[in-house]
Amino acid sequence: MLDSSFFSPALHPIPSAKPIEAAWLGRCATEVAPDLLGCTLVRRWEDGRCIRGRIVEAEAYTPGDPACHAYRRRTARNAVMFGPAGFSYVYLIYGMYHCLNVVTDADGAPSAVLLRALQLETIPPEANPRNEKPTRVAAGPGKLCRALDIDLSHTETPLKPGQSLWLEHRSPDLTQAWEDGAIAVTQTTRIGISQGIDHPWRWYVTASPAVSKR
DNA sequence: TGAAGGATTTGT
DNA sequence: CAAATCCTTCAC
């Protein structure tokens, strides 16, 4: 039975689940991105405090994709995307926001999945200065990082339990819901880019109130 | 060494 | 629609 809290605008605890391994991420970003919907991002602080968010929106950036930061060549900033899957890639955008990616695909194939929106289980008071609706606090890649206090110091983090960031698989009830086709997913074009605009490489949970844009 | 521009967000 | 704001990239 699907936990109805998945679509609820209120805050609900998210149960821990099996951690996602690097090998699972070592596939094409266009496969991984939709598979990450319904999975959980865990942010752990030095003091051991953790906050979880359910991924409801993601975009894929692939080798040969002109919108990918690694399209032109390997640089200091994008180097992690050229390595093996299972690491974070965080960058600064427009001088004021950070964006969190999950590095995917084989070693040497520069690609990643941009995490664009989460449904949070709890909201740190300092993470919501404008007192937005809880479902909107992590609606958008910049807001997601602001909510979870993610910045450039978090790039190239191995995504494993005990680190500052890791991923967990869908809970059993959500896995069942996906198998049943009970969760509608929308696939469409990516946001904010000027090249590669025709690739339909953005996926989001259709009914989620936390999706950044429609 | 400098200039242009960006996988965003917000308010006008 | 334009501002905020600064790092990265590429040209000179």
Side-chain angles (χ1 to χ4, degrees), chain A residues 55-167:
Chain A
I55 299 167
V56 296
E57 181 181 352
E59 288 179 354
Y61 291 85
T62 71
D65 169 12
C68 181
H69 284 179
Y71 178 61
R72 290 177 178 274
R73 62 194 185 88
R74 179 186 176 121
T75 64
R77 179 178 69 155
N78 65 28
V80 68
M81 277 199 283
F82 286 79
F87 287 80
S88 64
Y89 165 52
V90 180
Y91 65 90
L92 176 67
I93 186 70
Y94 301 119
M96 43 177 50
Y97 294 101
H98 298 274
C99 293
L100 171 65
N101 295 254
V102 175
V103 174
T104 55
D105 216 321
D107 194 355
S111 65
V113 170
L114 171 67
L115 303 186
R116 289 192 55 93
L118 304 176
Q119 290 185 188
L120 297 174
E121 63 171 358
T122 54
I123 297 175
E126 66 276 18
N128 190 8
R130 297 175 187 281
N131 200 27
E132 285 190 285
K133 283 187 288 190
T135 48
R136 303 303 297 169
V137 170
K143 296 169 76 178
L144 183 161
C145 286
R146 187 179 63 191
L148 296 183
D149 192 25
I150 295 167
D151 59 30
L152 289 183
S153 72
H154 296 93
T155 198
E156 302 192 36
T157 299
L159 300 171
K160 298 176 186 171
Q163 298 284 335
S164 60
L165 294 167
W166 71 91
L167 297 162

Side-chain angles (χ1 to χ4, degrees), chain A residues 8-58:
Chain A
S8 168
L11 299 171
H12 293 276
I14 297 174
S16 62
K18 185 184 165 207
I20 289 178
E21 312 261 348
W24 189 89
L25 297 167
R27 299 173 287 142
C28 181
T30 53
E31 284 182 46
V32 174
D35 285 354
L36 278 174
L37 299 183
C39 296
T40 299
L41 174 69
V42 188
R43 168 77 166 99
R44 183 186 187 276
W45 280 264
E46 291 285 337
D47 62 7
R49 190 167 51 98
C50 289
I51 288 184
R52 280 154 205 278
R54 212 167 255 152
I55 299 167
V56 296
E57 181 181 352

Side-chain angles (χ1 to χ4, degrees), chain A residues 187-203:
Chain A
Q187 178 178 7
T188 183
T189 50
R190 297 173 293 181
I191 286 181
I193 55 175
S194 56
Q195 295 180 292
I197 57 176
D198 292 331
H199 293 303
W201 289 347
R202 173 176 175 238
W203 291 263

